[in-house]
Amino acid sequence: MRGKDAVKFFTVVAVIAILTFLAFNPKGTEIPNIGTIPSAYDIRQAADLKGGIDAVLAPKDKDGKTYAAKTEELKQAKSVIEHRLDAKGVMDRVVAVDQVKKRITVQIPLKKGTTIEDPGSTIDDLGKMALLTFREIDETKSATGPVVPVSGDPILEGKNVKSAKYQQNPQTGGHDVALVLDSEGTKKFAEATARLINKRIGIYMDEMLLSAPNVRVAITNGECVIEGQDSLEDAVRLAQDIQSGAMPFKLVAESTSSISPILGSNALSVGVTSGIVAFLLVCLFMLLFYRLPGILACVALLGHTVIQILFISWFNITMSLPGIAGLILSIGMGVDANVIIFERVKEELRNGKTLRSAIDLGFKRAFSAVLDSNITTLISAVVLLYFGTGPIKSFAYTLIVGVILNFLTAVTASRIMLKSVAGMNIAKHRWLYGVKGVKEQND
């Protein structure tokens, strides 16, 4: 193996080894100045595996009294909750509107470290269910004490905010939050900002002040920017608080109850065992039929699997039984790309090509078939993700990630390793590539 080839080969192997350690370290890996990198043991299990909680949320007004929510308002609140759960990767959930009792019911899986008997902070995943308001500041009282609003109706409520997003100021490089208001909010905000130039407007979550930006000009187009956040994290947090608080009323957990796991932890162990057996059988098949390239494909497949596990863990995606099925399916698809490529390599060797030339042509000519196969699967997975709910989304996520990783591992990593070892004399025998009766070329 030549110098550069050796560096490439051992770099790929070392990266996969490090990722494998990160993926299966039971306690996670502590990185100085970064924090703890979660592992497979930190993946949140869906309600069908571990159970969850069922919460009934009742609408309340700013004074804590029962709010007669309209059906459209309840649907808006349902949408806000779903967006919050999406942001936390909680795919296995049920959010429904009870139009008769005017309630919202939510079923979500337990958080890591909680149990059915003690669900603890699981309900926190629903986010702050307080009422978001924009209010005029009482500058007289606020001059010598806490920033307090004037009494009376707020300028805007959360329902008037269509979106709140972080953006970087193109001129100063500062961290801002961009707001877009609905038509009703635009009219109210135009009147208020024209009246309060050089004064502050407080943004409150219930009675907690989130921010008190100063009004510079009258804003009449329904789009404004809150400038001057101290850091990127502060700006993102403020945008998320405003966005998540865009509900027309408070939601109070009226009652909570536990949901027993439908399948139980035994189903998880069966799924994990199935994945390990599938991986070993695939490796055995690749070893018998493709020999040296098969071994390297198994190394790449290990990289594919651990990266997928780390992705699920790092992005807090809930793992349901369909999600495990998506992971196992993507393992099969990962090796399918290698089968197509290695068959092309064998064909080129039978045509009398040198080893390096056969490898280059094999990957080049098989790429279009691999690309087409993965694109069609990707389209199906995206459709499932768009129209699916709960466990179906979990399946779609794992399948999408697996298909994308195919290009990184089955195509790129396998090619780097195979071309690296092809320079070794011991690796030039055609038998090692599953080809018999072909005269050796001067490789």
Side-chain angles (χ1 to χ4, degrees), residues 265-275 321 324 328:
S265 57
N266 185 51
L268 176 63
S269 63
V270 170
V272 172
T273 303
S274 301
L321 204 58
I324 296 174
I328 296 174

Side-chain angles (χ1 to χ4, degrees), residues 88-107:
K88 291 179 178 293
V90 183
M91 299 300 154
D92 181 41
R93 83 291 175 111
V94 175
V95 184
V97 174
D98 185 340
Q99 298 186 18
V100 177
K101 297 181 179 178
K102 302 298 181 185
R103 299 289 188 270
I104 295 178
T105 58
V106 181
Q107 296 177 353

Side-chain angles (χ1 to χ4, degrees), residues 14 76 96 101 119 123 142 165 169 224 232 237 245 381 404 420 431:
Q76 181 184 348
K101 297 181 179 178
I123 195 71
S142 304
K165 297 179 180 177
N169 191 308
C224 61
L232 168 65
R237 189 181 303 113
I404 294 174
S420 298
W431 181 85

